[in-house]
């Protein structure tokens, strides 16, 4: 089903379709494991150097803020994340590499941002942080950094399989006025140029990340929304289960690739 298009300018997919003359009938084939590449591989040497140097990587500002929030006491019981989890370098090591994960109380998968908010509500008895708020991105970046350099290890819980399948279906579903799917760009045309940028594969190895186009930190859900607007489809609201399912599918495809949080992208 094609979702109703918003009033938005023609985005990247439109340029791809019209400027490059891409056929919409190409078979959708994900790159084999031997050809998988992080978005890092498609960047300029200058952008790669920015990501690799913690003193130059803008995302580290959010990591530093997240470290402060980790020890900040909130709620009626005056508790911090550290009060339960201790040293994040130990307790959070590898955590970001295995999310989204099945959450028993919710009977569904949750992503890392959702898990942070569930902890805030249940353990700290305080309000959830809004999606894309600086505070939530900072905590997610700080926790994500504890897994930097570790291989992505998607959860193998059998209860996740229906949600993973839904994520795959969404990835392959054509949407919007341009009738494009995620796979049309990121499987069929990765490595080709879209204006001055190279189309990457769809591997979520570095989120939340600092995007030069945004001049800001952003979550994977923000990137999903950008892509949907680009094909002139109505994006789901932040926190929608469709985004969690899609991330679950993409993390499965990125199994074994290394976490880069906080990454830098064009």
């Amino acid at each position: 089903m094609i979702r109703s298009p918003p009033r938005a300018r023609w985005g990247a997919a439109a340029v791809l379709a019209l400027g490059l003359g891409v056929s919409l009938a190409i078979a959708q084939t994900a790159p084999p494991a031997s050809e998988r590449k992080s978005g890092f591989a498609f960047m300029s040497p200058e952008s790669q150097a920015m990501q690799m140097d913690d003193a130059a990587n803008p995302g580290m500002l959010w990591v530093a803020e997240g470290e402060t929030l980790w020890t900040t006491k909130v709620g009626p019981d005056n508790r911090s994340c550290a009060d339960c989890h201790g040293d994040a370098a130990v307790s959070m090591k590898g955590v970001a590499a295995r999310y989204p994960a099945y959450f028993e109380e919710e009977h569904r998968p949750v992503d890392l941002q959702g898990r942070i908010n569930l902890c805030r509500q249940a353990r700290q008895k305080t309000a959830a942080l809004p999606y894309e708020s600086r505070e939530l991105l900072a905590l997610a970046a700080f926790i994500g950094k504890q897994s930097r350099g570790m291989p992505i290890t998607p959860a193998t819980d059998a209860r996740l399989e229906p949600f993973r399948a839904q994520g795959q279906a969404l990835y392959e579903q054509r949407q919007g006025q341009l009738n494009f799917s995620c796979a049309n760009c990121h499987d069929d045309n990765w490595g080709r140029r879209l204006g001055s940028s190279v189309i990457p594969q769809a591997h979520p190895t570095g989120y939340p990340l600092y995007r030069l186009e945004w001049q800001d930190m952003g979550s994977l859900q923000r990137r999903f929304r950008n892509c949907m607007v680009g094909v002139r489809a109505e994006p789901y609201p932040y926190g929608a289960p469709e985004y969690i399912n899609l991330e679950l599918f993409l993390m499965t495809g990125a199994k074994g690739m290394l976490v880069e949080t906080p990454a830098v992208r064009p």
Side-chain angles (χ1 to χ4, degrees):
M1 180 180 69
I2 299 174
R3 292 172 62 83
S4 301
R7 295 179 179 176
R9 64 181 176 81
W10 284 59
V15 180
L16 179 63
L18 301 178
L20 300 181
V22 174
S23 169
L24 297 182
I26 312 174
Q28 295 174 349
T29 305
S34 60
E35 294 183 19
R36 290 184 308 173
K37 298 176 184 290
S38 159
F40 178 87
F42 299 100
M43 297 197 304
S44 68
E46 293 78 13
S47 294
Q48 290 179 341
M50 180 184 295
Q51 177 174 312
M52 296 297 291
D53 183 357
D54 283 353
N57 184 335
M60 292 302 295
L61 296 173
W62 279 259
V63 171
E65 186 171 334
E67 184 173 12
T68 298
L69 291 170
W70 181 261
T71 58
T72 300
K73 296 180 182 294
V74 297
D77 294 338
N78 205 32
R79 301 177 72 179
S80 70
C81 304
D83 287 334
C84 286
H85 300 288
D87 183 0
V90 177
S91 63
M92 294 294 109
K93 187 174 183 180
V95 168
R98 58 178 183 265
Y99 267 78
Y102 192 84
F103 193 66
E104 182 69 44
E105 290 84 345
E106 297 288 317
H107 306 294
R108 64 178 176 86
V110 297
D111 62 0
L112 184 58
Q113 293 182 94
R115 189 67 183 90
I116 291 168
N117 271 333
L118 287 169
C119 270
R120 284 178 61 84
Q121 293 171 303
R123 308 300 180 192
Q124 294 176 297
K125 300 177 183 176
T126 191
L129 294 167
Y131 277 92
E132 294 309 302
S133 65
R134 187 176 180 94
E135 294 85 356
L136 186 56
L137 290 171
L139 277 168
F142 173 66
I143 294 170
K145 181 181 175 292
Q146 310 313 313
S147 300
R148 188 168 65 177
M150 298 182 67
I152 290 172
T153 53
T156 57
D157 191 323
R159 294 172 295 180
L160 290 170
E161 290 311 310
F163 302 98
R164 187 176 283 115
Q166 291 171 32
Q168 180 176 1
L170 181 58
Y171 184 78
E172 296 172 352
Q173 175 184 314
R174 295 174 182 272
Q175 299 189 57
Q177 289 183 335
L178 299 184
N179 199 30
F180 262 50
S181 70
C182 308
N184 285 143
C185 282
H186 299 290
D187 287 356
D188 299 337
N189 291 291
W190 67 267
R192 298 184 69 176
R193 286 198 170 273
L194 178 57
S196 61
S197 300
V198 178
I199 302 170
Q201 298 171 0
H203 301 306
T205 53
Y207 287 88
L209 54 74
Y210 188 90
R211 197 163 185 219
L212 300 176
E213 178 185 342
W214 297 335
Q215 289 292 289
D216 196 6
M217 201 75 161
S219 70
L220 183 58
Q221 292 195 20
R222 180 176 179 180
R223 190 69 190 92
F224 288 155
R225 288 170 62 86
N226 280 180
C227 281
M228 293 187 74
V229 170
V231 299
R232 304 190 76 182
E234 184 71 34
Y236 301 101
Y238 280 114
E242 288 85 356
Y243 292 144
I244 313 300
N245 298 340
L246 184 53
E247 181 180 358
L248 178 63
F249 170 67
L250 295 181
M251 287 291 277
T252 302
K255 180 180 179 179
M257 300 180 75
L258 303 183
V259 175
E260 301 172 44
T261 311
V264 172
R265 293 293 185 264

